[in-house]
Short mmCIF file of all heavy atoms in Angstrom, two decimals:
data_model
loop_
_atom_site.label_atom_id
_atom_site.label_comp_id
_atom_site.label_asym_id
_atom_site.label_seq_id
_atom_site.Cartn_x
_atom_site.Cartn_y
_atom_site.Cartn_z
N MET A 138 6.70 0.07 -0.98
CA MET A 138 5.80 -0.11 -2.11
C MET A 138 6.11 0.95 -3.17
O MET A 138 6.85 1.89 -2.93
CB MET A 138 4.34 0.02 -1.65
CG MET A 138 3.90 -1.02 -0.63
SD MET A 138 2.22 -0.75 0.02
CE MET A 138 1.23 -0.96 -1.47
N ALA A 139 5.52 0.75 -4.35
CA ALA A 139 5.51 1.78 -5.39
C ALA A 139 4.05 1.93 -5.80
O ALA A 139 3.63 1.49 -6.87
CB ALA A 139 6.39 1.38 -6.57
N SER A 140 3.28 2.55 -4.93
CA SER A 140 1.83 2.58 -5.06
C SER A 140 1.39 3.37 -6.30
O SER A 140 2.07 4.28 -6.77
CB SER A 140 1.20 3.20 -3.81
OG SER A 140 1.50 2.42 -2.67
N GLY A 141 0.20 2.99 -6.81
CA GLY A 141 -0.37 3.64 -7.97
C GLY A 141 -1.73 4.22 -7.66
O GLY A 141 -2.13 4.34 -6.50
N PRO A 142 -2.52 4.54 -8.70
CA PRO A 142 -3.79 5.22 -8.50
C PRO A 142 -4.97 4.31 -8.16
O PRO A 142 -6.03 4.80 -7.81
CB PRO A 142 -4.03 5.93 -9.85
CG PRO A 142 -3.30 5.09 -10.84
CD PRO A 142 -2.10 4.54 -10.12
N GLN A 143 -4.78 2.99 -8.25
CA GLN A 143 -5.87 2.05 -8.01
C GLN A 143 -5.80 1.51 -6.58
O GLN A 143 -4.88 0.76 -6.23
CB GLN A 143 -5.83 0.89 -9.00
CG GLN A 143 -5.94 1.33 -10.45
CD GLN A 143 -7.25 2.05 -10.73
OE1 GLN A 143 -8.32 1.66 -10.22
NE2 GLN A 143 -7.19 3.11 -11.54
N VAL A 144 -6.77 1.88 -5.76
CA VAL A 144 -6.75 1.49 -4.35
C VAL A 144 -6.73 -0.02 -4.18
O VAL A 144 -5.91 -0.56 -3.41
CB VAL A 144 -7.96 2.10 -3.60
CG1 VAL A 144 -8.04 1.55 -2.17
CG2 VAL A 144 -7.85 3.62 -3.57
N ASN A 145 -7.59 -0.73 -4.88
CA ASN A 145 -7.67 -2.19 -4.70
C ASN A 145 -6.35 -2.88 -5.02
O ASN A 145 -5.93 -3.81 -4.31
CB ASN A 145 -8.79 -2.77 -5.57
CG ASN A 145 -10.16 -2.42 -5.05
OD1 ASN A 145 -10.33 -2.07 -3.89
ND2 ASN A 145 -11.18 -2.51 -5.90
N ALA A 146 -5.69 -2.45 -6.08
CA ALA A 146 -4.39 -3.04 -6.45
C ALA A 146 -3.35 -2.78 -5.36
O ALA A 146 -2.55 -3.66 -5.01
CB ALA A 146 -3.92 -2.49 -7.79
N ASN A 147 -3.36 -1.58 -4.82
CA ASN A 147 -2.41 -1.25 -3.76
C ASN A 147 -2.67 -2.06 -2.49
O ASN A 147 -1.73 -2.50 -1.82
CB ASN A 147 -2.50 0.25 -3.43
CG ASN A 147 -2.06 1.13 -4.58
OD1 ASN A 147 -1.17 0.76 -5.35
ND2 ASN A 147 -2.68 2.28 -4.71
N LEU A 148 -3.94 -2.28 -2.17
CA LEU A 148 -4.26 -3.06 -0.98
C LEU A 148 -3.83 -4.52 -1.15
O LEU A 148 -3.37 -5.15 -0.20
CB LEU A 148 -5.75 -2.98 -0.66
CG LEU A 148 -6.30 -1.58 -0.33
CD1 LEU A 148 -7.75 -1.67 0.14
CD2 LEU A 148 -5.44 -0.86 0.69
N LEU A 149 -3.98 -5.05 -2.35
CA LEU A 149 -3.52 -6.42 -2.61
C LEU A 149 -2.01 -6.53 -2.41
O LEU A 149 -1.53 -7.50 -1.80
CB LEU A 149 -3.90 -6.84 -4.03
CG LEU A 149 -5.37 -7.16 -4.28
CD1 LEU A 149 -5.63 -7.36 -5.77
CD2 LEU A 149 -5.79 -8.41 -3.51
N GLU A 150 -1.28 -5.56 -2.91
CA GLU A 150 0.18 -5.57 -2.75
C GLU A 150 0.55 -5.39 -1.28
O GLU A 150 1.46 -6.07 -0.77
CB GLU A 150 0.81 -4.46 -3.59
CG GLU A 150 2.32 -4.30 -3.41
CD GLU A 150 3.10 -5.54 -3.83
OE1 GLU A 150 2.61 -6.31 -4.69
OE2 GLU A 150 4.20 -5.73 -3.29
N ALA A 151 -0.14 -4.51 -0.59
CA ALA A 151 0.15 -4.30 0.83
C ALA A 151 -0.08 -5.57 1.63
O ALA A 151 0.74 -5.92 2.50
CB ALA A 151 -0.71 -3.16 1.37
N GLU A 152 -1.16 -6.28 1.35
CA GLU A 152 -1.43 -7.51 2.10
C GLU A 152 -0.37 -8.56 1.82
O GLU A 152 0.04 -9.29 2.73
CB GLU A 152 -2.82 -8.06 1.78
CG GLU A 152 -3.08 -9.34 2.57
CD GLU A 152 -4.54 -9.79 2.57
OE1 GLU A 152 -5.36 -9.14 1.89
OE2 GLU A 152 -4.83 -10.80 3.25
N LYS A 153 0.06 -8.65 0.57
CA LYS A 153 1.12 -9.61 0.24
C LYS A 153 2.37 -9.34 1.06
O LYS A 153 2.97 -10.27 1.63
CB LYS A 153 1.45 -9.55 -1.25
CG LYS A 153 2.61 -10.47 -1.66
CD LYS A 153 2.96 -10.30 -3.12
CE LYS A 153 4.10 -11.22 -3.52
NZ LYS A 153 5.34 -10.97 -2.75
N GLN A 154 2.75 -8.08 1.15
CA GLN A 154 3.95 -7.73 1.90
C GLN A 154 3.76 -7.95 3.40
O GLN A 154 4.68 -8.40 4.10
CB GLN A 154 4.35 -6.29 1.62
CG GLN A 154 4.69 -5.98 0.18
CD GLN A 154 5.90 -6.77 -0.32
OE1 GLN A 154 6.72 -7.23 0.46
NE2 GLN A 154 5.98 -6.92 -1.63
N ILE A 155 2.58 -7.63 3.91
CA ILE A 155 2.29 -7.87 5.33
C ILE A 155 2.36 -9.36 5.64
O ILE A 155 2.94 -9.77 6.65
CB ILE A 155 0.91 -7.28 5.71
CG1 ILE A 155 0.95 -5.76 5.65
CG2 ILE A 155 0.49 -7.76 7.10
CD1 ILE A 155 -0.40 -5.10 5.77
N ALA A 156 1.77 -10.17 4.77
CA ALA A 156 1.80 -11.63 4.98
C ALA A 156 3.23 -12.15 4.99
O ALA A 156 3.59 -12.99 5.84
CB ALA A 156 0.98 -12.32 3.88
N ASP A 157 4.05 -11.67 4.07
CA ASP A 157 5.45 -12.12 4.01
C ASP A 157 6.22 -11.68 5.25
O ASP A 157 7.03 -12.44 5.79
CB ASP A 157 6.12 -11.56 2.75
CG ASP A 157 5.64 -12.23 1.47
OD1 ASP A 157 4.97 -13.28 1.57
OD2 ASP A 157 5.91 -11.69 0.38
N ALA A 158 5.97 -10.45 5.69
CA ALA A 158 6.66 -9.97 6.89
C ALA A 158 6.25 -10.75 8.12
O ALA A 158 7.08 -11.10 8.97
CB ALA A 158 6.37 -8.47 7.08
N ALA A 159 4.95 -11.04 8.23
CA ALA A 159 4.46 -11.83 9.37
C ALA A 159 5.06 -13.23 9.34
O ALA A 159 5.43 -13.79 10.38
CB ALA A 159 2.94 -11.88 9.35
N LYS A 160 5.15 -13.81 8.16
CA LYS A 160 5.74 -15.15 8.01
C LYS A 160 7.20 -15.14 8.45
O LYS A 160 7.71 -16.14 8.97
CB LYS A 160 5.62 -15.61 6.56
CG LYS A 160 6.06 -17.05 6.33
CD LYS A 160 5.83 -17.47 4.89
CE LYS A 160 6.26 -18.91 4.65
NZ LYS A 160 6.03 -19.32 3.24
N ALA A 161 7.86 -14.01 8.26
CA ALA A 161 9.27 -13.88 8.67
C ALA A 161 9.42 -13.58 10.16
O ALA A 161 10.54 -13.42 10.64
CB ALA A 161 9.94 -12.78 7.84
N GLY A 162 8.29 -13.48 10.85
CA GLY A 162 8.34 -13.33 12.30
C GLY A 162 8.03 -11.95 12.83
O GLY A 162 8.09 -11.72 14.05
N ALA A 163 7.68 -11.00 11.95
CA ALA A 163 7.41 -9.64 12.40
C ALA A 163 6.13 -9.58 13.23
O ALA A 163 5.13 -10.21 12.90
CB ALA A 163 7.28 -8.71 11.20
N LYS A 164 6.18 -8.81 14.31
CA LYS A 164 5.01 -8.58 15.15
C LYS A 164 4.49 -7.15 15.02
O LYS A 164 3.37 -6.85 15.43
CB LYS A 164 5.36 -8.86 16.62
CG LYS A 164 5.76 -10.30 16.89
CD LYS A 164 4.63 -11.25 16.50
CE LYS A 164 5.00 -12.71 16.77
NZ LYS A 164 3.94 -13.65 16.32
N LEU A 165 5.30 -6.27 14.46
CA LEU A 165 4.90 -4.91 14.12
C LEU A 165 5.26 -4.69 12.66
O LEU A 165 6.40 -4.93 12.25
CB LEU A 165 5.64 -3.89 14.99
CG LEU A 165 5.49 -2.42 14.59
CD1 LEU A 165 4.06 -1.94 14.81
CD2 LEU A 165 6.47 -1.53 15.36
N VAL A 166 4.29 -4.24 11.87
CA VAL A 166 4.50 -4.00 10.44
C VAL A 166 4.05 -2.59 10.12
O VAL A 166 2.91 -2.21 10.44
CB VAL A 166 3.72 -5.02 9.58
CG1 VAL A 166 3.94 -4.74 8.11
CG2 VAL A 166 4.14 -6.44 9.92
N ALA A 167 4.92 -1.81 9.49
CA ALA A 167 4.59 -0.42 9.15
C ALA A 167 4.56 -0.25 7.63
O ALA A 167 5.47 -0.69 6.93
CB ALA A 167 5.61 0.53 9.76
N LEU A 168 3.49 0.40 7.15
CA LEU A 168 3.31 0.67 5.73
C LEU A 168 3.79 2.08 5.40
O LEU A 168 3.84 2.95 6.28
CB LEU A 168 1.83 0.54 5.36
CG LEU A 168 1.25 -0.88 5.41
CD1 LEU A 168 -0.27 -0.84 5.50
CD2 LEU A 168 1.68 -1.66 4.17
N PRO A 169 4.11 2.36 4.13
CA PRO A 169 4.59 3.69 3.76
C PRO A 169 3.46 4.71 3.63
O PRO A 169 2.27 4.35 3.56
CB PRO A 169 5.26 3.46 2.41
CG PRO A 169 4.54 2.29 1.83
CD PRO A 169 4.19 1.41 3.00
N GLU A 170 3.84 5.96 3.59
CA GLU A 170 2.89 7.04 3.30
C GLU A 170 2.22 6.77 1.96
O GLU A 170 2.83 6.27 1.02
CB GLU A 170 3.64 8.37 3.25
CG GLU A 170 2.76 9.58 3.04
CD GLU A 170 3.54 10.89 2.98
OE1 GLU A 170 4.74 10.86 2.63
OE2 GLU A 170 2.95 11.93 3.31
N ASN A 171 0.93 7.12 1.87
CA ASN A 171 0.17 6.99 0.61
C ASN A 171 0.14 5.56 0.08
O ASN A 171 0.03 5.34 -1.13
CB ASN A 171 0.74 7.92 -0.47
CG ASN A 171 0.71 9.38 -0.08
OD1 ASN A 171 -0.19 9.82 0.61
ND2 ASN A 171 1.70 10.13 -0.51
N PHE A 172 0.22 4.58 0.99
CA PHE A 172 0.27 3.19 0.51
C PHE A 172 -0.96 2.80 -0.28
O PHE A 172 -0.90 1.99 -1.20
CB PHE A 172 0.47 2.23 1.70
CG PHE A 172 -0.79 1.92 2.46
CD1 PHE A 172 -1.55 0.81 2.14
CD2 PHE A 172 -1.22 2.76 3.49
CE1 PHE A 172 -2.72 0.53 2.85
CE2 PHE A 172 -2.38 2.48 4.19
CZ PHE A 172 -3.14 1.37 3.86
N ALA A 173 -2.12 3.38 0.06
CA ALA A 173 -3.38 2.96 -0.57
C ALA A 173 -3.65 3.68 -1.88
O ALA A 173 -4.40 3.16 -2.72
CB ALA A 173 -4.55 3.20 0.39
N ILE A 174 -3.06 4.85 -2.08
CA ILE A 174 -3.26 5.57 -3.34
C ILE A 174 -2.17 6.62 -3.54
O ILE A 174 -1.87 7.41 -2.65
CB ILE A 174 -4.66 6.25 -3.41
CG1 ILE A 174 -4.84 6.97 -4.75
CG2 ILE A 174 -4.89 7.19 -2.23
CD1 ILE A 174 -6.26 7.45 -5.01
N MET A 175 -1.56 6.57 -4.73
CA MET A 175 -0.76 7.68 -5.24
C MET A 175 -1.37 8.01 -6.60
O MET A 175 -1.11 7.34 -7.60
CB MET A 175 0.72 7.32 -5.34
CG MET A 175 1.39 7.28 -3.98
SD MET A 175 3.20 7.18 -4.02
CE MET A 175 3.63 8.81 -4.66
N GLY A 176 -2.23 9.02 -6.60
CA GLY A 176 -3.06 9.32 -7.76
C GLY A 176 -2.30 9.97 -8.90
O GLY A 176 -1.12 10.32 -8.79
N MET A 177 -3.00 10.17 -9.99
CA MET A 177 -2.42 10.84 -11.14
C MET A 177 -2.26 12.33 -10.88
O MET A 177 -1.46 13.00 -11.52
CB MET A 177 -3.29 10.61 -12.38
CG MET A 177 -3.43 9.14 -12.76
SD MET A 177 -1.85 8.31 -13.01
CE MET A 177 -1.26 9.15 -14.49
N ASN A 178 -3.04 12.85 -9.94
CA ASN A 178 -2.87 14.23 -9.50
C ASN A 178 -3.14 14.29 -8.01
O ASN A 178 -3.59 13.31 -7.40
CB ASN A 178 -3.76 15.19 -10.29
CG ASN A 178 -5.24 14.88 -10.07
OD1 ASN A 178 -5.78 15.06 -8.97
ND2 ASN A 178 -5.91 14.41 -11.12
N GLU A 179 -2.90 15.44 -7.41
CA GLU A 179 -3.00 15.57 -5.96
C GLU A 179 -4.43 15.47 -5.43
O GLU A 179 -4.65 15.28 -4.24
CB GLU A 179 -2.37 16.90 -5.51
CG GLU A 179 -0.85 16.92 -5.58
CD GLU A 179 -0.23 15.82 -4.73
OE1 GLU A 179 -0.56 15.69 -3.55
OE2 GLU A 179 0.60 15.06 -5.28
N TYR A 180 -5.41 15.59 -6.32
CA TYR A 180 -6.80 15.61 -5.87
C TYR A 180 -7.50 14.26 -6.02
O TYR A 180 -8.63 14.10 -5.57
CB TYR A 180 -7.58 16.71 -6.60
CG TYR A 180 -7.08 18.09 -6.22
CD1 TYR A 180 -6.14 18.75 -7.01
CD2 TYR A 180 -7.51 18.71 -5.05
CE1 TYR A 180 -5.66 20.00 -6.66
CE2 TYR A 180 -7.02 19.96 -4.68
CZ TYR A 180 -6.11 20.60 -5.49
OH TYR A 180 -5.62 21.82 -5.12
N ASP A 181 -6.83 13.28 -6.65
CA ASP A 181 -7.43 11.95 -6.77
C ASP A 181 -7.74 11.36 -5.40
O ASP A 181 -8.75 10.67 -5.22
CB ASP A 181 -6.51 11.01 -7.54
CG ASP A 181 -6.55 11.25 -9.05
OD1 ASP A 181 -7.38 12.07 -9.49
OD2 ASP A 181 -5.74 10.63 -9.76
N LYS A 182 -6.88 11.63 -4.43
CA LYS A 182 -7.08 11.06 -3.10
C LYS A 182 -8.32 11.63 -2.42
O LYS A 182 -8.92 10.98 -1.56
CB LYS A 182 -5.84 11.26 -2.23
CG LYS A 182 -5.41 12.70 -2.02
CD LYS A 182 -4.14 12.75 -1.16
CE LYS A 182 -3.60 14.17 -1.03
NZ LYS A 182 -2.90 14.58 -2.27
#
């Protein structure tokens, strides 16, 4: 992913990728660090 500061937008993108991976047959799916938020500064999280 290329996560941003908006949690809801990141979760929508994460679900899309999880759905695509599952459709391709994956049984284990791993998300990247900070997938839900990469804030404008270190304290946004």
Side-chain angles (χ1 to χ4, degrees):
M138 298 174 64
S140 299
Q143 300 299 320
V144 172
N145 288 341
N147 295 327
L148 297 188
L149 286 172
E150 175 62 26
E152 180 167 4
K153 177 184 180 300
Q154 298 297 339
I155 292 170
D157 288 347
K160 187 176 180 180
K164 297 301 180 183
L165 170 68
V166 179
L168 291 160
E170 183 181 25
N171 300 326
F172 80 93
I174 181 170
M175 286 192 69
M177 299 304 293
N178 63 68
E179 287 302 309
Y180 294 96
D181 283 354
K182 59 182 175 284

